[in-house]
Amino acid sequence: MIGRGWTRGLATLAVAASLGLGSAITVAAAPADLLLPKEGRLKNGLRVLTLEDPKAAVLSFQVWYDVGSRNERPGITGISHLFEHMMFKGSKNFGPEEHSRIIQAAGGQDNAFTTWDVTVYYEDVPPDQLELCARLESDRMSTLRLTPENLKSEREVVKEERRYRVDSQPIGQAIEEMTALAFTTHPYHWPTLGWPADLDSINLADVKDYYAIHYAPDKATIVVCGPVTHDQVMKIVKKYFGPLKPGRPSPPVNVVEPKQTAERRSIKQAVVQLPILIAGYKVPPDSSSDTPALEVVNRILSQGESSRLYRKLVYDDQSALFAGGFTLGRKNPGLFYAFTAVKPGKDRQAVEDTMFSVIERLGKDGPTAEELTKAKNQAESELIFGLESVEDRATAVGTAAVITGDDHAAARQLDEVRRVTAADVRRVVSEYLQPSGRTVVWLVPKEGGGE
């Protein structure tokens, strides 16, 4: 599985284009207090973050590995996602797929996801299964079965996933092409699913090398949320992870992407019913102090039918079938995505000009007081509802710790959004959502007809 929360925007776009266990809690404490973890660290470098919630009925145990597609290189792109699958193929003390069967038999559920920056494995279980989670995760962290047979079978699974998500999905192809155009040097240039030729060329030596470097306690953060104490968690984690040795040093990652000084664009023909425009604007990393303002911008421009892009293109001009956008947080500078689909008989260039003018206008005039209040209320509501699940709270803290480098960043997010002003909105639009930092891909019906 790739992304989970990170792909909600992609899912929105895919659904639109197709037209052409957490435990509930009562948030009595201040929201920030529910996202302030207690921290510990083992001698081998493993970081442990605990969110104590004595009222929770479920425990979420998550292992965040500080490795994603940004840590790959040409020739082995897609290996991070491949490992997400390999980690379920058995270890010294557990057979293939036995990890999941044991968790399910204990009344829980497990899964994993891979992004550009991290690979995460998690279990949501009854509170008395903390030790079981630690035993299972430590075993595959240290004794994973890396065999030619496992590599062969999971390579085919990953290739099939790529065929389903990208090769047979015009939207997936367009987003992949836009991202490759937007990033020329940074590893974000290649997709998390990897290039097809690289998936075929990854060998057992590559896999063993990657495992020895990245799947080690000094490259991992454990996040636990539920009715446990930090002392309990540290005792169990030390028992199962304490004997593990740190991994080999990680190769340096080339994170310097040359400043984009001119718009980049491409036209891609595909089997689609309507022309679809996808644009990506360079924005700063998730750790930036401008991220809260960009989140408000995202909501004003592209979230829901009352957003500026949807209102203008779909309702006022009636030139588009849908319009929207999203941002995806990353460890290094990422993208703000905007998209729209042109109705039959409408001029593509006119729709493009209108979409970009709506974005630029927000930078010139700023938001109305009503828009600003509504966007901040939407963000606040989403953040509050995100506290209802122990899994979501653990994920928020894991994201803060590993993506931004600050495990208290999630606790500050609500106040930071509340402090966003109209001037902040104008400034970040004028600074980041400009043509010189924009990459555009048109997905147009293939000549000879579509479906």
Side-chain angles (χ1 to χ4, degrees):
M1 170 183 176
I2 287 188
R4 200 177 53 163
W6 302 84
T7 55
R8 288 172 185 162
L10 297 177
T12 300
L13 179 53
V15 170
S18 71
L19 295 175
L21 203 155
S23 124
I25 65 166
T26 299
V27 183
D33 294 340
L34 295 169
L35 294 171
L36 284 173
K38 293 184 178 180
E39 181 175 2
R41 194 176 290 268
L42 303 188
K43 292 181 180 179
N44 57 19
L46 179 67
R47 178 169 50 172
V48 184
L49 303 174
T50 306
L51 290 164
E52 299 178 347
D53 181 3
K55 296 182 179 180
V58 173
L59 175 88
S60 187
F61 188 101
Q62 304 186 354
V63 184
W64 289 66
Y65 288 95
D66 192 8
V67 60
S69 57
R70 73 190 287 276
N71 300 93
E72 299 166 357
R73 57 174 170 76
I76 62 166
T77 66
I79 196 171
S80 299
H81 178 232
L82 175 63
F83 253 98
E84 179 195 319
H85 289 258
M86 295 283 287
M87 285 283 276
F88 290 91
K89 299 306 291 181
S91 48
K92 180 180 179 180
N93 297 300
F94 302 98
E97 312 301 335
E98 190 176 359
H99 184 123
S100 295
R101 289 196 295 269
I102 291 173
I103 291 295
Q104 291 168 11
Q109 60 181 16
D110 70 322
N111 214 323
F113 60 93
T114 307
T115 75
W116 306 273
D117 301 304
V118 296
T119 309
V120 183
Y121 304 85
Y122 64 95
E123 294 88 18
D124 295 337
V125 295
D128 61 354
Q129 299 301 321
L130 169 64
E131 187 164 359
L132 173 64
C133 295
R135 181 160 58 94
L136 290 167
E137 289 292 359
S138 66
D139 201 64
R140 64 179 176 182
M141 179 186 284
S142 56
T143 65
L144 190 66
R145 293 181 185 177
L146 299 175
T147 66
E149 294 77 19
N150 285 347
L151 173 58
K152 180 179 179 181
S153 67
E154 296 315 296
R155 187 204 313 274
E156 292 307 311
V157 171
V158 169
K159 287 168 63 178
E160 179 59 32
E161 185 174 343
R162 182 187 160 81
R163 284 191 287 268
Y164 174 75
R165 291 178 177 270
V166 178
D167 300 340
S168 64
Q169 299 288 343
I171 287 293
Q173 296 170 33
I175 291 175
E176 187 173 275
E177 181 166 330
M178 192 206 67
T179 305
L181 275 175
F183 296 101
T184 60
T185 303
H186 193 284
Y188 291 159
H189 170 79
W190 49 77
T192 305
L193 284 166
W195 300 125
D198 289 351
L199 291 174
D200 283 328
S201 69
I202 293 171
N203 58 45
L204 194 60
D206 294 326
V207 170
K208 289 182 175 180
D209 188 58
Y210 211 69
Y211 183 68
I213 294 171
H214 299 292
Y215 279 76
D218 57 315
K219 314 301 194 314
T221 297
I222 290 178
V223 185
V224 178
C225 182
V228 290
T229 67
H230 184 59
D231 288 343
Q232 285 178 294
V233 172
M234 288 301 298
K235 181 179 179 180
I236 294 296
V237 168
K238 186 175 182 180
K239 175 181 176 180
Y240 288 98
F241 293 87
L244 307 187
K245 295 180 180 180
R248 287 166 33 198
S250 299
V253 177
N254 177 19
V255 297
V256 179
E257 173 70 23
K259 182 177 175 59
Q260 185 171 335
T261 58
E263 182 186 78
R264 301 167 187 166
R265 60 172 54 230
S266 173
I267 298 177
K268 184 176 184 61
Q269 290 191 349
V271 182
V272 291
Q273 196 170 23
L274 302 172
I276 299 173
L277 169 64
I278 306 173
Y281 292 84
K282 293 282 178 57
V283 293
D286 220 26
S287 58
S288 170
S289 59
D290 286 337
T291 295
L294 284 165
E295 171 61 22
V296 172
V297 167
N298 173 41
R299 292 178 182 280
I300 293 172
L301 283 175
S302 59
Q303 297 299 297
E305 295 185 7
S306 63
S307 65
R308 287 198 176 192
L309 288 176
Y310 197 99
R311 199 169 62 241
K312 175 62 176 173
L313 292 168
V314 178
Y315 287 145
D316 295 348
D317 291 0
Q318 298 186 27
S319 59
L321 181 64
F322 60 82
F326 54 93
T327 55
L328 298 174
R330 304 193 194 192
K331 184 175 288 189
N332 303 128
L335 296 172
F336 165 74
Y337 298 81
F339 55 85
T340 190
V342 182
K343 280 187 174 180
K346 299 296 182 178
D347 183 69
R348 274 173 39 198
Q349 188 60 51
V351 171
E352 176 181 322
D353 292 344
T354 299
M355 186 174 91
F356 293 150
S357 69
V358 169
I359 295 172
E360 291 166 12
R361 178 63 61 187
L362 182 60
K364 293 177 181 178
D365 298 341
T368 66
E370 181 182 2
E371 284 179 318
L372 183 62
T373 299
K374 181 178 180 180
K376 292 162 72 171
N377 286 345
Q378 287 176 333
E380 179 174 338
S381 178
E382 185 173 304
L383 288 167
I384 295 295
F385 282 122
L387 302 176
E388 293 188 349
S389 158
V390 292
E391 180 189 311
D392 287 345
R393 274 183 282 156
T395 300
V397 169
T399 300
V402 184
I403 301 296
T404 73
D406 179 359
D407 54 30
H408 285 187
R412 296 194 304 269
Q413 190 175 5
L414 184 56
D415 284 340
E416 289 172 346
V417 167
R418 286 169 172 168
R419 288 197 294 267
V420 173
T421 66
D424 293 330
V425 170
R426 287 196 303 271
R427 178 180 57 79
V428 297
V429 172
S430 298
E431 183 172 353
Y432 301 114
L433 307 190
Q434 292 300 309
S436 60
R438 184 171 69 204
T439 302
V440 179
V441 171
W442 270 103
L443 190 62
V444 299
K446 184 177 293 185
E447 294 182 5
E451 66 178 38

